[in-house]
């Protein structure tokens, strides 16, 4: 490298580089690339760009590109759809930023003991919320957790259909479709939709009973569901699923479990969901992370595609460490004979979630769920009072709800454009996502929305609708 | 030998979080609702949680102290970590700070794209830079890691052959014994059968072996090059041509890109698709196992199958689109966006010349290590004398040492952590050599760091000759002593949660 050393590379200092060259016995590094045939080289086809060695200039370049961007901090946001703005405690940021944690690689149970313990505490605390004792380390996202859980069930019972609600959020549904595969190839699972009752926003029990035939490997239900509605008959749905020998997979919002009983208490076999609400920023979509949890029964544990750490004794009396358990059933251990595949995921988010749950504790999680549902239902009630606007299922929602603007004569796109001009990020447009949702939007209200925020929204909506 | 550092890890004898605190303590208190009090319960009695979740109850400072202790009991990259196959490198703090700005961290992915043009513009610029480095036409950042990018390739392979009406026929993916395990695993997860080519005398599979297994059933070839032994298959273009001749696609797992940056471009070798790990090669932190990004690049022909949403530039505006033949999603939303921005920053800081220097140094430093390591008694290398000089990694073996002392690579690894040296990587499955270890020098670590790593290895090997028990029972200077892993795979004893531990181990 011409000029002075690059700050990211110690051996780019001329003397250091020369010392290495001298020992290796070459005059330039180029001599060490002799394995690569000349015809393979593409050096000359790269359009060069200059490096920026000054941190100040680098920061300035990035900040100039980002400045002025709109976010849920600069604007009041009612966006949700399985991805929610909750308050992120300051300590989650501090611990996740510590370089020992953020740079950790793999380590041993002794040398990365603290991080492994944090992973164990993630699984343990999430398990306490779910009332389940076997929790894998995180997978890429909620949708990926559903996909893996469906494949676990299909491997267990050898069946090849999964039943999913017709209103399943499009992002997750597309992931599930991918994981279920193509019928021309091995291991494909057919996705069968079960209708949602338009009157209640809940899965129709009659339709579910008809859908759960003896080919069904698993039924996937969410509560609250993708329209924000808490399923009233979750116990009966699980029972119907079990009656046909299928596995009951239930998607949950961990925040709701501060007030709601875990579906595991009603017999759900595999719980999945998002860890994003547990202390993880929205990150323009880069905050997704999923979990898979079951009872601690070998028949389930043997199907997990995840890594997980188990507490174990050390050679010192009374001391614990945390080691990988069931590693051999992962693709790291068994290549194509492992359960699906395993790789880098979002384990730093597990550390955030561990800190989050330790900070909130049982009272905090309970109070938070109560605040969220109360804020959301009151907001729904107030929106419902606007002329030409109605809110569906507002007595059975948790934090998301469908707002129907179709009687206003304006599209959701038009309304959201008007709201944006007034400092508000309106709800996610559901037009075209399901029968009967044209002109509807999904609104999300959590503890971060204040009464002033809601009045701001109501005022803006009234103006936009009247305009 | 130079002086060996006196090191001891922080050892707080830290309790499990459930053992800390006391009933009634509070960490973070959520706000009360502003809604008028309701006399109606929110949920029907049968749906309500009957007892509070069994979470710990701690004051805020207790949570801070506990997790700070856990951080201190984590070595991470704060010593010397030459963790082969993972390309550990500098993760600049400025990128963490920029990534925490609200214009990134607080953006909801369902905002209108017009509201976060800065973020989308950087994603788009970085895509262009990866196209420049690889020769590919388009990239997706949706895969949540290298393995997920391999899965995306298998998924796109399905869609490609299905679009030609050939999927029922093309059911086989060919890989090599030295390809990362995620390649065959991802292929099987997508429904394919896997054929694994063995490593032959020269250190790589032969064209003849490939030609013997490919044909009308071949869907794709998935491999890395160079492999984890630093061996480059010089016949790679013949591999690709042969697979193309029978109608298959060729995927380049660029996990080992560090040594060949600015010299090899995947597309010009003939590959249809490739993958870069932004959390390793491109300077974003690994986070213990993510958030990571497997940036998946492909040819113009395959770009229409990419998952949505994709960032495209229309005039001066960045938009999100769904490609017309899209496979849908392998994951929700755009990908781990902050990591993409960190990788962009790292790449801009390096510049083309910096990337070239990084590749030069990583290969030079590996050859430096090889000189020194091969002078240590008990250390041998895979395929000695073949495929020299090796690129950015060399795989070694401690088999001679094991025969001599009875100590394994795992014993040596544990003892090295007693000197602040992070565990080395042994080898992915299958092991080509017994007692393998795979250091990767990379471009960040100084010559002094590399020397320290080697000095510690040499010191530990000598200790083991003098006092095998000292090494076998190590570590002695770590946060905790050696784990007794005998019960980890036993359903009667494993416990991945505190509740399971309390139930199974009644003395607690």
């Amino acid at each position: 490298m011409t000029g002075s050393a690059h700050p990211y590379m110690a051996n780019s200092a001329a003397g250091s580089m020369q010392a290495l060259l001298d020992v290796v016995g070459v005059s330039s590094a180029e001599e060490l690339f002799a394995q690569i045939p000349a015809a393979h080289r593409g050096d000359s086809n790269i359009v060069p760009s200059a490096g920026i060695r000054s941190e100040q200039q680098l920061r300035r370049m990035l900040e100039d590109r980002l400045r002025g961007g709109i976010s849920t901090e600069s604007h009041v946001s009612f966006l949700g759809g399985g991805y929610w703005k909750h308050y992120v405690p300051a300590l989650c940021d501090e611990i996740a930023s510590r370089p020992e944690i953020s740079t950790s690689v793999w380590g041993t149970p002794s040398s990365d003991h603290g991080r492994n313990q944090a992973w164990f505490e993630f699984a343990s605390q999430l398990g306490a919320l779910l009332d389940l004792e076997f929790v894998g380390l995180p997978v890429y996202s909620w949708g990926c957790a559903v996909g893996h859980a469906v494949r676990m069930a299909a491997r267990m019972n050898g069946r090849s259909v999964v039943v999913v609600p017709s209103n399943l959020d499009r992002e997750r549904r597309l992931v599930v479709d991918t994981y279920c595969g193509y019928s021309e190839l091995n291991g494909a699972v057919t996705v069968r939709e079960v209708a949602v009752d338009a009157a209640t926003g809940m899965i129709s029990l009659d339709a579910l009973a008809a859908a759960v035939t003896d080919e069904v490997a698993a039924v996937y239900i969410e509560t609250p569901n993708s329209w924000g509605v808490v399923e009233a008959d979750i116990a009966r749905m699980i029972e119907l699923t079990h009656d046909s020998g299928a596995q009951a997979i239930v998607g949950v919002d961990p925040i709701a479990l501060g007030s709601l009983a875990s579906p595991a208490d009603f017999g759900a076999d595999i719980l999945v969901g998002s860890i994003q609400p547990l202390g993880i920023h929205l990150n323009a979509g880069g905050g997704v992370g999923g979990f898979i949890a079951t009872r601690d029964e070998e028949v389930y544990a043997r199907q997990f595609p995840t890594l997980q750490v188990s507490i174990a004794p050390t050679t010192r009396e009374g001391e614990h460490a945390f080691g990988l358990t069931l590693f051999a059933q992962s693709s790291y251990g068994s290549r194509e004979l492992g359960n699906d595949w395993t790789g880098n995921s979002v384990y730093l988010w597990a550390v955030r979630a561990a800190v989050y749950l330790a900070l909130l504790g049982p009272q905090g999680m309970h109070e938070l769920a109560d605040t969220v549902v109360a804020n959301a239902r009151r907001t729904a009630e107030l929106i419902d009072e606007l002329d030409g606007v109605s809110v569906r299922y507002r007595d059975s929602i948790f934090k998301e709800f469908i707002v129907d603007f179709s009687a206003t004569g304006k599209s959701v796109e038009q309304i959201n454009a008007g709201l944006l001009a007034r400092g508000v990020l309106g709800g996610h447009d559901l037009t075209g996502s399901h029968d009967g949702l044209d002109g509807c939007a999904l609104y999300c209200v959590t503890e971060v929305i204040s009464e002033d925020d809601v009045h701001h929204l109501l005022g803006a909506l009234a103006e936009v609708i009247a305009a | 030998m130079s002086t060996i550092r006196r090191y001891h890890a922080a050892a707080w004898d830290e309790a499990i979080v459930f053992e800390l605190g006391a009933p009634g303590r509070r960490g973070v208190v959520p706000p009360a609702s502003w809604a008028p009090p309701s006399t109606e319960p929110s949920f029907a009695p049968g749906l309500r949680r009957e007892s509070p979740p069994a979470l710990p109850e701690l004051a805020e400072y207790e949570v801070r102290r506990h997790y700070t202790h856990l951080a201190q009991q984590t070595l991470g990259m704060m010593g010397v970590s030459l963790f082969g196959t993972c390309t550990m490198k500098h993760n600049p703090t400025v990128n963490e700070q920029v990534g925490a700005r609200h214009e990134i961290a607080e953006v909801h992915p369902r905002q209108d794209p017009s509201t976060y043009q800065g973020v989308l513009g950087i994603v788009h610029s970085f895509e262009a830079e990866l196209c420049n480095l690889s020769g590919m036409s388009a990239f997706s950042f949706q895969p949540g890691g290298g393995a997920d990018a391999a899965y995306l390739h298998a998924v796109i392979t399905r869609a490609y052959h299905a679009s030609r009406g050939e999927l029922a026929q093309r059911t086989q993916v060919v890989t090599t014994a030295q390809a990362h395990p995620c390649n065959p695993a991802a292929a099987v997860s997508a429904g394919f059968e896997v054929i694994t080519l063995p490593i032959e005398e020269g250190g790589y599979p032969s064209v003849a072996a490939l030609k013997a297994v490919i044909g009308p059933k071949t869907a794709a070839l998935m491999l890395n090059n160079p492999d984890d032994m630093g061996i480059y298959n010089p016949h790679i273009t013949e591999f690709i041509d042969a697979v193309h001749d029978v109608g298959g696609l060729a995927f380049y797992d660029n996990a080992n890109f560090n040594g060949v940056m600015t010299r090899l471009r995947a597309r010009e070798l003939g590959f249809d698709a490739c993958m870069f790990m932004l959390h390793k090669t491109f300077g974003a932190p690994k986070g213990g196992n993510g958030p990571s990004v497997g940036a998946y690049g492909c040819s113009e022909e395959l770009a229409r199958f990419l998952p949505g949403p994709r960032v495209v530039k229309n005039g001066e505006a960045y938009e999100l689109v769904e490609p017309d033949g899209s496979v849908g999603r392998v994951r929700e939303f755009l990908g781990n966006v902050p990591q993409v921005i960190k990788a962009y920053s790292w790449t801009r800081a390096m510049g083309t010349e910096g990337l070239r220097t990084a590749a030069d140094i990583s290969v030079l430093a590996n050859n430096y290590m090889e000189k020194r390591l091969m002078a240590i008694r008990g250390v041998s290398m895979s395929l000695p004398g073949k495929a020299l000089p090796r690129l950015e990694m060399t795989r070694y073996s401690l088999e001679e040492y094991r025969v001599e002392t009875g100590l394994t690579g795992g014993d040596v690894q544990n003892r090295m952590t007693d000197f602040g040296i992070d565990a080395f990587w042994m080898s992915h499955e299958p092991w080509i050599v017994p007692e393998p270890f795979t250091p990767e020098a990379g471009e960040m670590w100084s010559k002094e760091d590399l020397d320290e790593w080697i000095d510690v290895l040499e010191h530990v090997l000598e200790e083991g000759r003098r006092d095998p028990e000292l090494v076998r029972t190590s570590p002695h200077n770590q946060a905790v002593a050696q784990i007794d892993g005998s019960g980890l795979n036993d359903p009667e004893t494993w416990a991945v949660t505190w509740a399971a531990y309390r139930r199974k181990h009644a003395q607690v």
Side-chain angles (χ1 to χ4, degrees):
Chain A
M1 167 167 275
T2 52
S4 65
H6 194 287
Y8 301 171
M9 299 184 276
N11 291 331
S12 63
S16 304
M17 175 94 86
Q18 193 58 50
L20 297 177
L21 289 166
D22 290 347
V23 172
V24 174
V26 292
S27 58
S28 102
E30 187 58 46
E31 295 173 42
L32 301 172
F33 292 85
Q35 280 195 76
I36 303 175
H40 293 191
R41 295 278 292 256
D43 313 42
S44 56
N45 296 321
I46 291 171
V47 178
S49 63
I52 306 173
R53 279 186 291 176
S54 157
E55 180 180 302
Q56 178 195 315
Q57 288 173 340
L58 184 70
R59 182 193 291 263
R60 179 69 190 263
M61 179 274 293
L62 295 167
E63 289 178 347
D64 283 351
R65 294 193 69 162
L66 293 166
R67 194 169 291 113
I70 288 171
S71 74
T72 62
E73 185 178 299
S74 65
H75 286 50
V76 180
S77 169
F78 295 90
L79 286 164
Y83 201 72
W84 311 293
K85 187 173 178 72
H86 285 281
Y87 179 70
V88 176
L91 194 56
C92 292
D93 289 341
E94 179 176 293
I95 298 298
S97 301
R98 288 194 56 109
E100 307 92 325
I101 296 282
S102 75
T103 67
S104 75
V105 189
W106 184 268
T108 71
S110 300
S111 63
D112 279 345
H113 171 70
R115 181 206 59 192
N116 284 13
Q117 181 167 336
W119 289 350
F120 176 79
E121 293 179 356
F122 156 77
S124 297
Q125 294 183 86
L126 185 56
L129 202 55
L130 303 172
D131 290 327
L132 289 171
E133 292 183 353
F134 201 95
V135 182
L137 290 170
V139 295
Y140 306 121
S141 71
W142 183 359
C144 295
V146 181
H148 282 302
V150 169
R151 295 174 60 82
M152 288 168 69
R155 287 196 297 270
M156 287 171 69
N157 57 28
R159 298 178 179 185
S160 60
V161 174
V162 61
V163 174
V164 305
S166 65
N167 66 346
L168 184 58
D169 175 83
R170 177 172 177 271
E171 292 285 323
R172 287 197 291 293
R173 174 61 191 271
L174 289 173
V175 177
V176 172
D177 287 350
T178 297
Y179 275 57
C180 285
Y182 285 37
S183 59
E184 293 94 326
L185 298 178
N186 294 332
V189 174
T190 304
V191 180
R192 180 182 290 169
E193 285 187 0
V194 59
V196 173
D197 183 342
T200 62
M202 300 177 198
I203 290 176
S204 154
L205 280 175
D206 290 342
L208 185 66
V212 188
T213 59
D214 60 11
E215 317 150 87
V216 171
V219 172
Y220 177 62
I221 309 161
E222 293 180 347
T223 186
N225 67 27
S226 294
W227 291 348
V229 176
V230 176
E231 293 282 354
D233 288 320
I234 189 76
R236 179 75 190 121
M237 291 178 197
I238 292 167
E239 196 179 310
L240 275 173
T241 301
H242 286 164
D243 285 349
S244 77
Q247 296 288 317
I249 305 170
V250 181
V252 294
D253 171 1
I255 300 296
L257 294 182
S259 283
L260 283 173
S262 167
D265 297 350
F266 305 122
D269 302 297
I270 307 178
L271 292 194
V272 296
S274 174
I275 60 172
Q276 179 268 325
L278 304 175
I280 295 148
H281 294 279
L282 295 170
N283 291 332
V288 292
F291 65 82
I292 304 172
T294 66
R295 297 181 293 277
D296 186 358
E297 293 172 9
E298 189 174 2
V299 63
Y300 290 101
R302 296 278 180 205
Q303 293 301 337
F304 273 69
T306 51
L307 300 180
Q308 44 278 319
V309 287
S310 169
I311 190 168
T314 74
T315 56
R316 189 177 291 145
E317 181 67 30
E319 188 178 73
H320 322 290
F322 305 89
L324 292 168
T325 179
L326 297 170
F327 183 73
Q329 72 189 27
S330 75
S331 60
Y332 283 114
S334 300
R335 293 177 71 92
E336 67 270 25
L337 302 179
N339 294 329
D340 294 345
W341 75 96
T342 310
N344 275 259
S345 179
V346 293
Y347 289 13
L348 188 63
W349 296 166
V351 176
R352 282 182 169 273
V355 174
Y356 185 89
L357 290 169
L359 283 170
L360 271 288
Q363 289 186 76
M365 291 304 287
H366 181 76
E367 290 169 5
L368 176 59
D370 282 354
T371 294
V372 167
V373 69
N375 286 0
R377 289 194 189 176
R378 177 62 180 159
T379 306
E381 186 182 355
L382 292 170
I383 293 175
D384 195 51
E385 289 170 2
L386 292 171
D387 284 344
V389 182
S390 61
V391 174
R392 297 191 188 163
Y393 324 121
R394 64 183 173 84
D395 294 330
S396 47
I397 57 112
F398 176 60
K399 67 187 179 194
E400 297 185 290
F401 49 90
I402 295 172
V403 181
D404 185 349
F405 294 105
S406 56
T408 65
K410 290 199 162 55
S411 69
V412 175
E413 194 179 351
Q414 289 168 325
I415 287 168
N416 281 351
L419 290 178
L420 180 61
R422 291 164 176 80
V424 175
L425 298 169
H428 166 52
D429 193 350
L430 293 173
T431 301
S433 70
H434 194 275
D435 287 346
L437 289 183
D438 288 357
C440 293
L442 188 72
Y443 273 64
C444 174
V445 173
T446 71
E447 78 281 10
V448 303
I449 296 293
S450 70
E451 189 166 16
D452 285 349
D453 292 338
V454 173
H455 286 296
H456 181 175
L457 168 73
L458 295 171
L461 272 178
E463 285 176 22
V464 171
I465 291 165
Chain B
M1 188 188 302
S2 51
T3 312
I4 299 296
R5 183 193 297 267
R6 285 193 305 122
Y7 164 83
H8 201 297
W12 286 104
D13 196 17
E14 188 70 14
I16 309 292
V17 68
F18 292 89
E19 300 174 298
L20 299 172
R25 290 205 188 138
R26 307 296 302 268
V28 160
V29 178
S33 175
W34 43 265
S38 167
T39 50
E40 294 292 307
S42 300
F43 305 114
L47 293 177
R48 291 204 295 268
R49 177 178 277 284
E50 287 178 0
S51 57
L55 291 169
E57 296 177 81
L58 283 76
E60 187 174 7
Y61 87 93
E62 293 179 293
V63 179
R64 184 187 208 183
R65 184 173 62 186
H66 175 63
Y67 286 101
T68 301
H69 286 175
L70 295 189
Q72 290 170 342
Q73 292 184 135
T74 302
L75 182 54
M77 282 173 67
M78 299 302 101
V80 182
S81 174
L82 307 184
F83 193 86
T85 80
C86 271
T87 313
M88 305 316 300
K89 56 176 64 182
H90 184 51
N91 309 137
T93 305
V94 66
N95 296 340
E96 301 303 309
Q97 293 184 356
V98 170
R101 285 177 65 99
H102 82 91
E103 298 100 331
I104 302 168
E106 304 305 336
V107 169
H108 194 287
R110 288 190 157 116
Q111 285 179 217
D112 190 278
S114 67
T115 61
Y116 59 114
Q117 290 285 294
V119 169
L120 297 178
I122 291 175
V123 172
H124 191 265
S125 295
F126 188 59
E127 178 177 7
E129 184 52 33
L130 291 188
C131 289
N132 184 31
L133 292 173
S134 65
M136 292 296 169
S137 299
F139 272 82
S140 169
F141 302 112
Q142 190 169 79
D148 207 19
Y151 180 65
L152 175 56
H153 182 69
V155 166
I156 284 183
T157 299
R158 284 191 316 214
Y160 169 79
H161 291 305
S163 76
R164 299 158 64 92
E166 293 186 354
L167 185 59
Q169 160 201 334
R170 294 195 179 272
T171 56
Q172 295 178 344
V173 165
V174 180
T175 187
T176 80
Q178 275 289 81
H180 189 282
C182 72
N183 286 295
V188 166
S189 299
F192 293 105
E193 299 148 29
V194 166
I195 297 169
T196 302
L197 301 175
I199 303 303
E200 297 187 21
E201 199 180 337
Y204 43 81
S206 67
V207 176
L210 174 74
K211 287 188 172 169
V213 300
I214 58 174
K217 290 186 171 178
T218 303
L221 173 71
M222 298 175 74
L223 44 61
N224 53 2
N225 194 35
D227 70 6
D228 293 351
M229 300 188 289
I231 295 177
Y232 185 81
N233 181 344
H235 306 297
I236 191 67
T237 53
E238 293 163 68
F239 270 59
I240 296 164
D241 290 346
V243 168
H244 284 163
D245 285 347
V246 299
L249 297 172
F251 168 71
Y252 193 177
D253 176 346
N254 268 126
N256 299 337
F257 187 55
N258 215 49
V260 298
M261 291 189 294
T262 74
R263 285 183 169 85
L264 289 181
R265 301 213 307 166
R267 186 67 181 137
E268 282 152 16
L269 292 172
F271 285 104
D272 303 288
C274 71
M275 178 280 290
F276 296 121
M277 291 191 285
L278 305 189
H279 50 293
K280 295 176 180 174
T281 317
F282 287 84
K286 191 163 177 240
N289 228 9
S292 42
V293 180
Y296 176 82
C298 66
S299 65
E300 187 66 44
E301 187 182 14
L302 293 185
R304 71 186 192 88
F305 298 108
L306 284 173
R310 288 203 59 218
V311 182
V312 296
K313 194 171 187 185
N314 186 1
E316 288 307 302
Y318 299 101
E319 298 175 350
L320 293 176
V321 300
E322 303 282 338
D324 62 4
S326 177
V327 295
R329 297 282 186 280
V330 289
R331 191 181 191 220
E332 298 91 313
F333 306 120
L334 199 53
N336 286 331
V337 175
Q339 305 300 79
V340 175
I341 291 171
K342 291 171 199 177
Y344 173 72
S345 174
W346 181 86
T347 308
R348 289 298 311 274
M350 295 294 277
T352 312
E353 193 184 357
L355 296 176
R356 179 75 160 200
T357 305
D360 285 356
I361 290 176
S362 65
V363 173
L364 176 61
N366 181 51
N367 280 275
Y368 172 79
M369 289 191 71
E370 190 178 301
K371 283 270 181 199
R372 281 208 58 195
L373 287 169
M374 290 310 293
I376 297 176
R377 187 161 60 95
V379 176
S380 59
M381 68 185 275
S382 59
L383 296 145
K386 301 266 170 63
L388 296 174
R390 296 288 164 87
L391 290 161
E392 88 291 10
M393 271 184 282
T394 301
R395 173 150 301 145
Y396 302 92
S397 170
L398 288 168
E399 176 65 5
E400 289 172 22
Y401 183 72
R402 187 194 63 78
V403 169
E404 179 192 344
T405 62
L407 294 167
T408 65
D411 297 327
V412 172
Q413 185 186 48
N414 276 336
R415 182 59 180 157
M416 286 178 76
T417 68
D418 273 340
F419 301 97
I421 301 293
D422 192 33
F424 53 63
W425 178 244
M426 294 180 179
S427 166
H428 287 294
E429 297 288 338
W431 287 5
I432 307 283
V433 296
E435 302 301 329
F437 70 102
T438 316
E440 181 177 351
E443 77 275 12
M444 171 179 85
W445 305 99
S446 68
K447 177 176 178 298
E448 308 88 85
D449 292 333
L450 303 178
D451 284 332
E452 180 174 354
W453 196 96
I454 296 163
D455 291 345
V456 167
L457 175 69
E458 195 168 11
H459 177 78
V460 168
L461 295 183
E462 283 306 317
E463 278 186 332
R465 290 187 173 100
R466 271 198 322 273
D467 182 359
E469 280 311 294
L470 174 72
V471 175
R472 199 190 318 277
T473 58
S474 66
H476 306 288
N477 302 335
Q478 267 302 335
V480 291
Q482 191 181 118
I483 193 170
D484 170 2
S486 57
L488 286 174
N489 296 310
D490 178 353
E492 300 301 316
T493 50
W494 75 45
V496 305
T497 57
W498 183 243
Y501 178 71
R502 304 251 301 184
R503 178 171 57 78
K504 294 181 186 184
H505 301 264
Q507 77 278 13
V508 176

